[in-house]
Structure formats: structure tokens, C-alpha cells
Amino acid sequence: MRNSLAVAAMMALGLTLAACGGGDDAKKAEAASKTGGGSSQTVSVVVASLQNLPRTVTASGTVSAWEEVPVGAETGGLTATAVYVDEGAWVRQGQPLVQLNDALLRAQLRQQQAAVQTAEANAARDQAALGRAQELKERGFLSQAALDTALANQRSSAANVAAAQASLSETRTRLAQATIRAPVAGQVIRRSVTRGQIVGAGTELFRIVRDGRLELDAQVPETELGLVRAGQTATVSSDEVGEATGRVRIVTSEVDAESRLGTARISLTGGNFRPGMFARARIQVGAQPVVTVPTASVLYRENRAGVFVMGTDNRVRFQAVTVLSRTDDQTAVEGLTAGARVVVAGAGFLGDGDRVAVAPAAAPVRAAAPATNRGS
């Protein structure tokens, strides 16, 4: 019986010690899990690289005329008797647009023509008189005073001819201005004259888009404005009229102090755009050095694009980036430095601050050696 009691006491003591040891192990495991002592997931890592890739700058703005030409009346106080074109019409340079009442001007023209003929007749008469006076003076039959009078009459007649011709030229010019013509070729986008209207001098009657050329005033962020150059191609699109090709004509040197946007004027080719429409542009700025990462590494958290970047202690942090362009394999991003270690496989299951284990890179598969003929 004594032996049995001793064995039972030793077994109880062993169970108590085991229970105490097991509790310590559980506490250690719980502490390790709280401090992140163990790896939660094995992931693969790729280094972000710097590559020269075709870059596209996206901008938007308002379609406007390349050059708007106002057309007005040079002579005033006349009534519009005919209007030949309307808004939307295409006109050629010199084409009649409006006819003003020129009846009074034509009467003045006939009067000036008669005045010129009278002045020319008087000038011819005084020229002949001067010739006779000079001949008589040489023979000694005429005094010097009489010769001087004949010379003065001839000069006065010549001056009258010049004045009458100038008045005639003025009347002809005013008569020509009574027919208002297109100063340039293009499309009429505005008409503000009607038949029967008394037109004042300087009043704008039409507005013409020179050569019908339109351009997009694209608003470009100042961070990308330095990439845009004159001559670069662009694709301009609108939900209403589709797409059209374009080319950057000029980049303004001024940036708006409030919006921090600059303007790139893109000349449009084709399309059914109209002045005042909203449109978007994709400007091809050429190959630019950009940081690229695998497309599978780019995630979206809270509507923000980003990647998980490995730290020195094998912890990951979520780094927000701006996606510049993407393909099935590679994505060009902004906001990440080249050389950063980015998580690819397993990134979708991570949280900010998780500790991970990096899977070793797969060894390259070598081709099998050709079999040798043992008999040789």
C-alpha cells in the first residue's frame, strides 16, 4: 500500500508540472501572435523598374475657333436691302454677304464723274492758253504779267482736276463698301443683321471662323505641362460627336494661379465639333522614363490605387500610386521610386503592417542532357 501511495503522489506531481509547462507555452504562443513573431503569409516580390514607355497626357477643355473674324460695315447710315448668307454657311473670301442701299452713292458717283470731266476740260483750255501766252511772250507781244496769269490759271485747273478725281475715288470707295464682302474664307457662326435694318458704321454684322478651323483649349495640369510640345499628335473625343485627330499648335506660357492648369491649343482635323463644345484629349508626348510594376501588384483600397511595398523587417505597407498607363503585364505608376520591392502574389490578402515571408525565386529549368550510347 505504501508503494501504491508513493506512485500516485509522483503521478499527481508530474501532471501538475506538465500543466504549468503547457500554460507557459500557450502564453508564449499568444504573445508571439500578438507581436507578429510568426509569418502570416508567403508572398512573391518584384523590384519596381524604371523604363522608357510611350506616355499619354490626358486633358479636357472647350472647343473654340482658331481665329474668329468679325465682319462690320465701313460706311454707315445705309439700309440693308439684301442678306445673302445665314449662320452655318461656308463662304469664300470676297463673297458678297450684305447689300446696302447705294442709290444715293450712285448719284453722287455720277456727279463726281461730271465734275472730273469739267475740271479736265478747264485744264485743257488753260493749258492751251498758256501755250499761246508763251509764244506771244517770245515774240514780244505779251507782258510777263500776262504770262504769269496764264501759268497760274493752268496750275489751278490741274489742281481742280486732281481734287475732282479724289472726290470721285472717295465716292467709288463708299459705293464699293455698300456691298459687304467676306474678308476671309470660312464658316459663318453668327449673323446679327436683317433686311431693312439701318446699319451704322462699325456695327458687327457677321462673325466668321477663318478657314473653318477649330481647336481645343485643353487644360493640362502644371505637373505634366512640361511634357507637352507643339507638333505632338492627339486624339480628341466627345460623347456627342465621337473622335477626331489633332495636333498641338501651341502651349501657352502662363499657368492659372488658382487652378494650376496650363493651356495646350490643339488644332482639330475632321469631326463634327462646334465652338463651345466640351471635349477630352489624349496627347502622345513620346517615350518617357516611368516606374513600372506588374499589373497584378496594383490593388484598389478605398478607391485608391496602390501597391504593397516590403520593408526591412519583412513588414508590408500600402503605398498609394497614380496609374499612368497599363497593359495586361505592366503598369506605369507615379508615386513610387524605382528599386522598391513590391508584393505581387498574395498581395490581395494583406493588410497594412502585416509581416510576410518571401517565397524563394524559382530555379531555372535546365534542358536534359542528351542520352549517351554506352556501347560507343
Side-chain angles (χ1 to χ4, degrees):
M1 184 174 291
R2 291 178 180 177
N3 292 337
S4 299
L5 292 174
V7 171
M10 294 179 64
M11 291 177 64
L13 179 61
L15 291 174
T16 302
L17 294 175
C20 292
D24 293 340
D25 293 340
K27 291 180 180 179
K28 291 180 181 179
E30 182 178 359
S33 63
K34 290 182 179 181
T35 59
S39 300
S40 62
Q41 186 175 336
T42 301
V43 298
S44 64
V45 175
V46 172
V47 177
S49 60
L50 191 66
Q51 299 183 19
N52 286 329
L53 296 179
R55 179 80 176 272
T56 300
V57 173
T58 303
S60 60
T62 304
V63 177
S64 63
W66 167 61
E67 184 176 321
E68 288 188 6
V69 180
V71 182
E74 296 180 87
T75 184
L78 301 179
T79 303
T81 57
V83 179
Y84 300 122
V85 297
D86 205 346
E87 293 182 0
W90 289 83
V91 297
R92 64 184 184 277
Q93 185 174 1
Q95 178 179 338
L97 305 179
V98 176
Q99 179 62 52
L100 303 180
N101 187 0
D102 58 358
L104 180 60
L105 294 175
R106 292 186 180 278
Q108 292 177 353
L109 179 65
R110 291 191 295 269
Q111 182 180 4
Q112 295 298 331
Q113 289 173 340
V116 169
Q117 292 174 357
T118 301
E120 289 176 346
N122 293 334
R125 180 197 61 194
D126 292 338
Q127 180 66 38
L130 176 60
R132 290 192 299 270
Q134 289 174 341
E135 183 178 354
L136 293 175
K137 178 64 175 62
E138 292 176 355
R139 294 182 180 181
F141 297 111
L142 192 65
S143 65
Q144 183 64 40
L147 178 62
D148 293 340
T149 300
L151 180 60
N153 291 337
Q154 185 273 335
R155 290 178 178 177
S156 176
S157 299
N160 290 336
V161 170
Q165 289 176 344
S167 298
L168 177 62
S169 177
E170 177 185 359
T171 304
R172 283 175 173 168
T173 301
R174 294 182 59 193
L175 181 61
Q177 292 173 350
T179 302
I180 301 175
R181 302 178 181 273
V184 296
Q187 185 180 22
V188 178
I189 61 172
R190 189 181 306 164
R191 192 195 82 171
S192 54
V193 61
T194 57
R195 185 177 178 181
Q197 175 182 344
I198 298 177
V199 179
T203 303
E204 181 178 318
L205 308 179
F206 297 92
R207 187 166 287 266
I208 299 175
V209 176
R210 184 175 182 181
D211 298 332
R213 289 175 55 182
L214 301 177
E215 62 183 16
L216 175 66
D217 296 336
Q219 304 298 311
V220 182
E222 62 177 350
T223 55
E224 298 179 321
L225 192 62
L227 302 176
V228 183
R229 298 284 188 274
Q232 293 174 340
T233 59
T235 301
V236 180
S237 61
S238 171
D239 296 336
E240 289 75 18
V241 298
E243 291 188 351
T245 60
R247 185 175 298 273
V248 178
R249 181 176 66 87
I250 190 174
V251 180
T252 59
S253 57
E254 184 179 6
V255 175
D256 188 89
E258 296 183 359
S259 63
R260 302 299 179 187
L261 298 174
T263 303
R265 305 191 188 281
I266 303 174
S267 299
L268 301 179
T269 303
N272 296 319
F273 289 93
R274 297 183 179 181
M277 297 184 67
F278 174 82
R280 295 174 295 272
R282 299 189 303 274
I283 307 172
Q284 308 298 328
V285 297
Q288 302 290 333
V290 292
V291 177
T292 60
V293 296
T295 299
S297 67
V298 181
L299 307 174
Y300 288 87
R301 299 289 172 88
E302 297 180 355
N303 294 327
R304 294 188 309 166
V307 295
F308 279 104
V309 180
M310 287 286 299
T312 55
D313 55 352
N314 281 357
R315 293 184 184 275
V316 295
R317 59 181 178 85
F318 186 76
Q319 175 67 49
V321 297
T322 301
V323 176
L324 303 177
S325 63
R326 64 187 303 160
T327 62
D328 293 339
D329 300 326
Q330 295 290 325
T331 298
V333 297
E334 192 176 49
L336 185 68
T337 58
R341 303 170 65 202
V342 177
V343 177
V344 182
F349 302 97
L350 298 179
D352 202 15
D354 286 352
R355 175 174 287 179
V356 297
V358 180
V365 179
R366 296 182 179 179
T372 58
N373 189 352
R374 296 182 179 180
S376 58

